Amino acid sequence: MLDTLVGFFGEYGYIAVFACLILCGLGVPVPEDITLVSGGVISGLALANPHIMCAIGLAGVLAGDSTMFLAGRIFGYRVQRLKFFRKVVSPQRFSQIQKKFKKHGLGLLFVARFLPGLRSPIYLVAGMSHRISYLTFIVMDGLAALISVPVWIYMGYFFADNLDILMEYVHDVQKAIFLALGLLAVIIAVIYFKKKFHSKMQDEKAEEIKDKSV
């Protein structure tokens, strides 16, 4: 996949990277991280400017994600009638994501950027929910993209002369991302239950004071 994308991007440049990232955002089974890394590789081979490539990467990522969000916002639940979108998010997956989105809201939008396979369905459901504005969506997605896009682009740029080592690092970074997300989930869960415990203790204390005053 990496060799194919590098050859294709090397021939057609920025526009090819941008178009491919939009397809990634639409749920086409092309890995977004490998697409970005490939853009970085052609920059490392002096076929593109790495800083411009990073800007193109951010624009392509946000454009693809926005397409899914706005499709959900404009067409609502009617979008499930379209065969393409039913492939992206099945009725069962739609129901599961909808429940998680109601529970986690903006946090899920941010984390979704790092979840291949779930990203597009989550953005689609976010648009359908009408719970957040497009501006809020683009800010949350943009913040996450500012982390992920430069990492992949510049990794490809610095290791363009050794693709085997590059792919090893890509897999290592992917594992590190999932580990970090898991750790973040644990921290959030601890904070949530700690607040819930303190709230319960305060309620019980208030009840005791109320009983004594009667």
Side-chain angles (χ1 to χ4, degrees):
M1 175 68 77
L2 180 63
D3 292 333
T4 301
L5 289 176
V6 168
F8 180 64
F9 294 164
E11 185 172 355
Y12 296 102
Y14 300 119
I15 188 66
V17 177
F18 183 79
C20 192
L21 287 170
I22 291 180
L23 292 176
C24 292
L26 292 174
V28 175
V30 178
E32 184 182 276
D33 49 4
I34 301 301
T35 300
L36 291 167
V37 167
S38 299
V41 169
I42 68 167
S43 300
L45 297 175
L47 298 174
N49 181 289
H51 310 306
I52 295 177
M53 184 61 72
C54 194
I56 293 295
L58 285 168
V61 159
L62 294 178
D65 295 345
S66 294
T67 300
M68 294 302 290
F69 179 87
L70 292 175
R73 174 59 55 88
I74 294 169
F75 297 106
Y77 291 92
R78 291 173 295 170
V79 79
Q80 290 185 303
R81 300 175 188 171
L82 303 177
K83 186 176 180 180
F84 171 77
F85 289 105
R86 283 203 304 272
K87 288 183 179 180
V88 174
V89 53
S90 64
Q92 182 180 5
R93 175 176 282 188
F94 170 78
S95 178
Q96 292 173 344
I97 292 175
Q98 194 174 39
K99 291 177 182 177
K100 289 181 180 179
F101 185 72
K102 287 179 180 179
K103 184 177 181 180
H104 302 291
L106 295 180
L108 183 60
L109 278 182
F110 182 85
V111 172
R113 169 115 298 281
F114 307 98
L115 300 174
L118 288 176
R119 184 185 306 127
S120 296
I122 288 172
Y123 294 155
L124 184 64
V125 172
M128 295 168 69
S129 72
H130 288 268
R131 287 175 173 269
I132 62 169
S133 67
Y134 175 66
L135 178 60
T136 301
F137 166 78
I138 208 69
V139 167
M140 294 301 296
D141 191 37
L143 289 173
L146 283 172
I147 298 173
S148 63
V149 172
V151 167
W152 297 124
I153 293 287
Y154 289 112
M155 183 180 293
Y157 172 74
F158 287 116
F159 294 96
D161 57 346
N162 196 323
L163 298 186
D164 290 334
I165 291 179
L166 173 60
M167 286 307 298
E168 288 182 14
Y169 282 134
V170 167
H171 293 312
D172 289 342
V173 170
Q174 288 171 333
K175 291 177 182 176
I177 288 173
F178 287 123
L179 182 62
L181 290 175
L183 182 60
L184 179 62
V186 171
I187 292 173
I188 292 174
V190 169
I191 293 173
Y192 171 77
F193 286 113
K194 187 176 180 180
K195 286 184 177 180
K196 193 172 182 180
F197 175 76
H198 283 306
S199 177
K200 185 178 179 181
M201 292 295 290
Q202 288 176 352
D203 289 343
E204 289 179 354
K205 190 173 182 180
E207 284 293 329
E208 288 179 4
I209 294 173
K210 184 178 179 181
D211 291 340
K212 289 179 182 179
S213 63
V214 175

